[in-house]
Amino acid sequence: MDIQVKGDLMEKLVSLCKRRGFVFQSSEIYGGFNGFWDYGPYGIALKKVVEQLWWNEMVEKRNNVVGLDSSIICHPKVWKASGHVDRFADIMCDCKDCKTRHRVDQMPDPSVCTNCGSKNLTEPREFNLMMKTYVGPVFDEDHKAYLRAESCQPIFLDFNLIRIATRQQLPFGIAQVGKAFRNEITPRMFTFRSREFTQMEMEFFCSEEDAMQWYEFWRMERYNFYKNCLGFADEEIQFAPHDKLAHYAKAAVDVEYKFPFGWGELEGIHHRSQWDLSRHQEFSDEDMTYLDQATGKRFTPTVVETSVGLDRMILAILCHAYREDKAPTQKEGMDEDIRVVLGFPARIAPVQVAVLPLSKKLNEKAAELQDKLRHFYRTEFDVTGNIGKRYRRQDEIGTPYCVTVDFDTENDNAVTVRERDTMEQERVSIDNLKAYLDNKIYGW
Ligand code: GAP
């Protein structure tokens, strides 16, 4: 039975992520680098699966959404046209006493320093969040370029090329997964606000008349993704419409997740009007209009966007999965102790099946079994420590099924399958093992 997690859940999660190799600070041996994170073996496994799940839901399952993988650095004019060079800024102020810099919109009282309480603050000023670099041999203004601040802009640049290549007619979408960079002044809450992160974005091109209907459609599609694909409960997610819209937007709503530190934006669904295509048309002189064959009308498509940070999604999945319960222990003088579990849905667990030989003498037989299973599932071979400790370790990395090869396996051609959530064990014939696991993991 689950118990109330005692202490700070975020602290526990950050510590587990480091200890078990999910996520840790970048450049840790140099003291870390604020706002940058590395994903260890289980973190990258989870990230790849979740990215693929999103891609499958948004692209592969649909005939009217196609993919793109663009370069991170684009022509500098792109960011002038998109408005990022002039407007993509946070309003900041500095405390003259303790020298801390604050985002004004995050200060409970913008006239008091949240660090030292001083009222001796500078006037609020704009700080642009674009990360800059130089392209070519000369480091001057003419060679300045930007790392993209959102992955979607190249989708607008390539709109005509993709439309013609794929013979798509409106309405249709273009999706991309890729890195984005923002010089966030206050990176915080683990990976929640980072300076380098991965976005999964889909821009859906349609007529202005149909745009609100598509906006509603995608709003619900994305909500259902969190419920059906990730198993989030209704109490964990909510819609938060934007009070203040970007100057070009007609409607915008966030899907928020109830993180341990409070409700936080997970994904944005935005009605971006014709802003992006018309701006790129203006700055590039390229015709971005679309001729509707059925009506003979030419117009600039309207865009409805779904945009989520993969890192934030992973953080929400980790928060959702973390739990503690009481479980039998072999520790001296104790019948039970607290068990930490990452209860990932079996479909997305970084390791779906761990193969555990009960004794080193059974390593060969168990390795043969793993070689068969690895064609169908993400597997791990774990020989270190007693079986109880190995189960606990697999619980902590969220492995839903442990398959133990023991001395009876030779005689009955069967293994013991232990389920993470119930801790129940079942003897399963090796001949039926794939059918058994397919049913458990995928419901086939
Ligand atoms: N193209 C629209 C766009 O970029 P956004 O609201 O700025 O909109 C979309 O970002 C999503 O990207 C957010 O909902 C969040 O999941 C993620 N994101 C934004 N800034 C982030 C950051 N600094 N660290 C991690 N994820 C971030």
Side-chain angles (χ1 to χ4, degrees), residues 76-361:
K77 268 192 183 172
V78 170
W79 304 104
K80 192 79 188 150
S82 68
H84 283 79
V85 171
D86 297 326
R87 293 175 205 253
F88 194 55
D90 280 339
I91 312 289
M92 312 291 300
C93 72
D94 293 330
C95 174
K96 290 183 189 166
D97 292 329
C98 73
K99 313 290 180 210
T100 316
R101 183 161 284 177
H102 302 280
R103 246 177 81 171
V104 173
D105 65 338
Q106 287 175 355
M107 296 170 83
D109 176 353
S111 59
V112 180
C113 172
T114 45
N115 187 45
C116 72
S118 164
K119 294 194 167 182
N120 196 9
L121 304 174
T122 59
E123 282 300 311
R125 280 177 294 160
E126 281 197 348
F127 281 84
N128 193 286
L129 301 184
M130 296 282 288
M131 288 225 191
K132 297 168 195 69
T133 185
Y134 296 92
V135 175
V138 186
F139 284 18
D140 64 11
E141 273 301 298
D142 291 344
H143 294 80
K144 194 161 83 180
Y146 301 93
L147 307 192
R148 66 182 177 209
E150 54 178 8
S151 65
C152 64
Q153 284 303 323
I155 292 180
F156 304 124
L157 312 181
D158 293 346
F159 166 70
N160 275 332
L161 289 172
I162 293 174
R163 180 177 61 76
I164 293 163
T166 58
R167 293 170 295 127
Q168 288 280 352
Q169 310 264 322
L170 256 55
F172 79 98
I174 303 175
Q176 157 146 265
V177 178
K179 290 270 188 178
F181 301 81
R182 295 182 189 178
N183 193 12
E184 299 281 2
I185 310 298
T186 49
R188 64 191 182 101
M189 295 307 177
F190 199 20
T191 55
F192 182 83
R193 177 161 290 122
S194 313
R195 287 176 167 145
E196 173 182 339
F197 53 97
T198 300
Q199 281 188 320
M200 305 194 287
E201 300 199 292
M202 194 279 306
E203 309 301 314
F204 198 76
F205 301 88
C206 58
S207 68
E208 176 60 23
E209 299 84 67
D210 294 345
M212 274 321 281
Q213 239 171 304
W214 283 113
Y215 172 80
E216 279 306 317
F217 172 83
W218 286 111
R219 190 174 75 94
M220 287 322 295
E221 287 288 282
R222 297 307 304 146
Y223 188 83
N224 291 336
F225 174 88
Y226 291 108
K227 287 206 61 186
N228 304 335
C229 299
L230 299 184
F232 290 176
D234 277 327
E235 312 80 75
E236 284 176 295
I237 41 175
Q238 67 179 18
F239 285 122
H242 287 202
D243 298 333
K244 229 178 86 196
L245 292 177
H247 59 284
Y248 54 81
K250 292 264 171 67
V253 65
D254 291 339
V255 179
E256 292 188 335
Y257 180 79
K258 197 174 190 181
F259 289 99
F261 45 83
W263 288 100
E265 174 188 339
L266 194 52
E267 166 152 7
I269 294 100
H270 311 124
H271 178 317
R272 295 179 73 117
S273 70
Q274 290 109 23
W275 163 259
D276 303 278
L277 288 181
S278 53
R279 289 283 288 188
H280 287 305
Q281 173 164 309
E282 186 188 331
F283 278 68
S284 69
D285 280 337
E286 176 88 13
D287 183 2
M288 292 293 195
T289 58
Y290 172 80
L291 178 65
D292 188 324
Q293 305 284 349
T295 62
K297 275 194 199 153
R298 183 170 279 285
F299 58 91
T300 305
T302 292
V303 169
V304 174
E305 170 187 73
T306 73
S307 172
V308 57
L310 175 55
D311 310 77
R312 252 184 221 184
M313 197 186 276
I314 296 290
L315 182 59
I317 289 170
L318 286 164
C319 292
H320 171 80
Y322 186 97
R323 62 167 189 263
E324 295 176 358
D325 60 15
K326 285 197 174 153
T329 182
Q330 293 164 348
K331 282 185 191 159
E332 247 183 61
M334 291 168 81
D335 295 330
E336 51 179 25
D337 67 353
I338 290 174
R339 177 177 82 125
V340 173
V341 181
L342 285 180
F344 299 124
R347 205 175 266 265
I348 66 164
V351 177
Q352 295 172 300
V353 182
V355 178
L356 320 176
L358 197 61
S359 143
K360 286 208 170 74
K361 290 184 190 137

